[in-house]
Every structure is written in structure tokens, then in C-alpha cells.
Amino acid sequence: MGIVAGLDSAPDFTRIVVCDTDTGAVLRQGYAPHPIDGGEGGGRPSDVDPQAWLLSLGEAAGGGLLEGVQAIGVSAQQNGLVPLDAQGNTVRPAMVGGDKRAQVAAADLIDALGGREAWAQAVGSVPQAAQPVTKLRWLNKTEPEAARRTSMLLQAHDWLVWQLLGRPVRRTTDRGGASGTGYWSAATGQYRPDLIDLALGHQAGLPDVLGPSEAAGTTPEGLLISAGTGETMAAAFGLGIGLGDAVVSLGASGSVMAVHTEALVDSTGMITSLADATGMHLPVVTTLNAVRALRGAAELLGVSDLEGLSDLAMKSTPGSHGLVLLPYLEGERTPNLPHTAGTLAGLRRESMRPEHLARAAFEGMLCGLADALDVLRGRGVDVRRIFLLGQAAELPAVQAVAPALFGAQVVVPQPADYAALGAARQAAWALGVSQGTLDPRTPPAWQGPVAQVLEPGDELAVGQAVRQQYVSVREQTHPGAFRS
């Protein structure tokens, strides 16, 4: 069929991969950081001029990188709100990331609709500071003139697709991107204009939601542009995950997502019900504490890096000689304990050694993520294989402990820009459908990532005992934390 490109506009850079349409093999790559100029927002990291994304894209695509490409897919950071006026110009810089300015607005919105359960029923998620619906509320309350001028709402990947197509009258998005806005329901496949009104104070135009294999359009040069999607959905698509698969991401905070056949409504708000890039659903559960618990333990023990902490932990044994760390250092979201602190239990003279505390940090972090996995399993989500992402996934202590604690096969893919690969795969799908060579319901079967595969094996019973030790301490310390 030819070659396609996927571009990932992340918070700090643009990466482009050019791939063979049949196999997904990467033929060429490009990279450029976003220009940093302070922008109209006075240098605040939550305010970004979208033109920076275009400049970065142009630089990454330099040197003829896109020569011969027939279709492009776009992945971009989620939750970036781009408010446009009636002429299609940005009303103010885009609001991106987990914007702490909007925390009060999130609480206001939750109350205004009647609580967390009302939001979960309406759109499958409870407002958080990062979401576009919450940023609209902040805009309405803090910059009322900009709010009044706002007549169209786009996200980062919507805006980039629109620009690539030459700013046509029709604006588009996809199910994945729409599902994170807080005003589109993955369960019904419909927008909730009343929630726009609640947040912004008036109605605004919204992009058409395309199906996974639909094209957004064709450039004047004849280049097909696929629907695009958010980074999370693109990365899942690039990894090739399907039913029975979950992805555990180890950042400072952690997240667990899995492919499921239906949208999950969770009255506790622990599950965010997103749509994926294939027509399925992608329920996500987030923890506030993952690698930050490891870094805290390393500092406490005077260890210079996480590799050193891992080496130390490997000198201990499963169960850390009875030490249990509840790693709720920033409060916690899963379970919902926003004002709590971490707990170190099981201190005895023989357990007060650096290697046992180091291992307790790894076991505590992974048990916290196993709790998040159990939230999904408890709602009928099938989890047989777990993809483990993030730099910490390479640590021997993580790889030694994770399969037995999670009770499933663990796959550690080699580092790659899976979001850009997912965007390219989407482009290949849309191209194939447009040419009549691919089924609109079946994405191209690309080769999977190069990965280590770890089995729980004989350690499963030991891992479950460690997990039970953790659950007992959690229940004693925070009884009923997981009851809705």
C-alpha cells in the first residue's frame, strides 16, 4: 500500500514516525521540541500558544521526512482546551495539562450538577482540574470576556488536524478525544450541551465525532488525514492492546487502563470511562502515588537513584520482613482518600533495615496499582495480560515483584513512541478503508512491540500472600476505603 506517518504532539515536543502501511515497520523518524517563548500567558506552563505546536511540527517534518507519505494520523496531549472565536482565532492561549488553577472550578461543577454520581452517570467521569469542562468553568469565572467570545471548542489534536486540512468549515474529533472532555459520554456516544452551558455560561460549537477508521479529510495536496486521537488512546493502539489486556503506567502517579466492551459508569468516580481508538472502551483508574513513593524511599535511605533502590530491595525477601508501606504520600484517589498520608506498618527490630524498607516501597507501589486493577476486575473487566510502561518498569525489583502481585503475565515493551506509532496505524487504517483494501471495523494487523514477557509462575502464591498482608494493613488503617 505504501507509507504513512504518525505525529505525536506531546506536552514538550513533536515526534513523527513514518511507517510501512502493511507491517508498521518504522522507516524514518523526526523530532523537535516545542519552542518556549513564554507566550501570551506570561510563561505560565498551563497556557500555550497553539502555534508552538505547528512550529514544532514543521521542524520535526523537515528534510523531506514526509516525502511519499499518503496519509497522516495525529496524536496529541489530552485535556488541552483550545477556545476559538467566531472567526476561528484563538480567544486566549490553549489551557493544557493538569491545570491547578481549575481545582476550585472542578469542585464547583461537581456541586452544580448534584454530586459525583450525577457526573458519572452523565459522562462517565467526575470533573478534575485537567478536563476541558473544568477549564471552561474556570474561564467563565476568571476571564468572563474571553468566555463570552468563545464560540467553538477544540482539543489539541482537533486543532492540529484542522490546521493540516487548511482550516475547513467542518471541525472534527474522535471518540477517544471526546471521551476525556467531560461533556461527551462514551456510553451514549453523544455530547451533553447542557454541561457546556453549566461550565461556560452559554453554548459553543463542537467538532463532529468521527468513527475510528474515518478520515477527517484530505489536504489540498491530496494527503489523507485520519481522525486523530488523544495520546493515551494512540499509545494503546500503538501497543496493539485488545480484550484481556491492561496497561499499567508508572509515572510519578500511576494509571491502569484496560480494553472493555462497554462504558463503565462508576458512582465513586474512581473509574474514568474513556473510549479507545478502535471502537471499544478504555476504562482508566488512576493512583496519585507510584514512582514518587520510590523516590521518597530513595531520599529517606540516602540512595542516589532508583537503580540503587532496586538493588537494595533485591537483598530483601517477599513481604519485606513484615514491613508494609501504604504509599499515600500525596493523599490518594484510588481509594478516595484525598487528605490522608502514607503509613509504614510492621516495624520490628529485625525489619528495621534499609533493604526491607526499599522492598516495602516497591511492594507498596505495586500493591496500590493492584488495588486499581481490582477496581476494573470487580466491574467485569477481563485482565489476562498486563503491559507495564514507564522507566521504572525496567527496574529488576519491579520486574521481580509485579507478575506475582498482579496475578497475570506482565509484558515490558521496549521504550518507543507508541503514541506516534498508534497515530500512524490509524492513518494506515483510514487509508486502507478509503482505498477499499481494509475493513472499517478491523484495523491493520501490525507487528507487536519488542518486549520482555514475565510470568508469575511459582511465585504466584507468595505474591498473593504479600498482597493479602498489604490489604490487611490498608483495611485496618482505612476501613471500608473501597466501599462505594
Side-chain angles (χ1 to χ4, degrees), residues 13 36 41 59 150 174 180 224 274 343 350 362-364 376 382 412 416 424 470 475 477:
F13 61 82
I36 301 168
E59 188 180 337
T150 298
D174 84 307
L224 184 139
L274 300 178
T343 301
E350 61 270 19
F362 282 95
E363 291 178 345
L376 295 178
D382 182 26
V412 184
Y470 176 91
E475 277 299 304
T477 313

Side-chain angles (χ1 to χ4, degrees), residues 2 51 258 298 311 331 348 373 377-378 394 424 431 453:
Q51 293 297 327
D311 292 344
R348 297 182 185 277
L373 265 171
R377 284 171 164 147
E394 303 285 334
L431 180 65
V453 178

Side-chain angles (χ1 to χ4, degrees), residues 12 98 112 116 165 174 198 262 324 326 370 398 475:
D12 301 315
R116 299 169 69 86
L165 290 172
D174 84 307
L198 186 69
E262 61 183 354
V324 174
L326 302 183
V398 169
E475 277 299 304

Side-chain angles (χ1 to χ4, degrees), residues 83-227:
L84 302 180
D85 63 18
Q87 286 72 48
N89 300 313
T90 50
V91 167
R92 67 177 314 286
M95 298 175 71
V96 298
D99 197 328
K100 292 192 173 179
R101 294 174 295 179
Q103 285 176 337
V104 172
D108 285 350
L109 279 177
I110 292 169
D111 290 343
L113 195 64
R116 299 169 69 86
E117 186 165 1
W119 277 97
Q121 292 286 347
V123 288
S125 64
V126 177
Q128 300 148 34
Q131 282 183 299
V133 72
T134 307
K135 290 167 178 168
L136 288 178
R137 179 76 162 198
W138 180 89
L139 194 64
N140 185 17
K141 298 296 182 186
T142 314
E143 299 180 4
E145 180 53 34
R148 273 194 293 276
R149 290 172 49 221
T150 298
S151 68
M152 169 60 72
L153 305 175
L154 297 181
Q155 291 189 87
H157 88 264
D158 310 337
W159 188 85
L160 282 165
V161 165
W162 184 56
Q163 296 292 326
L164 289 173
L165 290 172
R167 297 165 59 106
V169 172
R170 185 194 190 205
R171 279 86 154 192
T172 61
T173 189
D174 84 307
R175 295 169 66 255
S179 66
T181 58
Y183 43 79
W184 186 86
S185 166
T188 65
Q190 301 292 322
Y191 281 116
R192 286 289 302 264
D194 56 315
L195 301 181
I196 303 275
D197 216 340
L198 186 69
L200 186 62
H202 63 85
Q203 289 300 317
L206 297 164
D208 294 344
V209 182
L210 300 176
S213 61
E214 285 186 79
T218 306
T219 68
E221 299 77 30
L223 198 62
L224 184 139
I225 309 292
S226 63

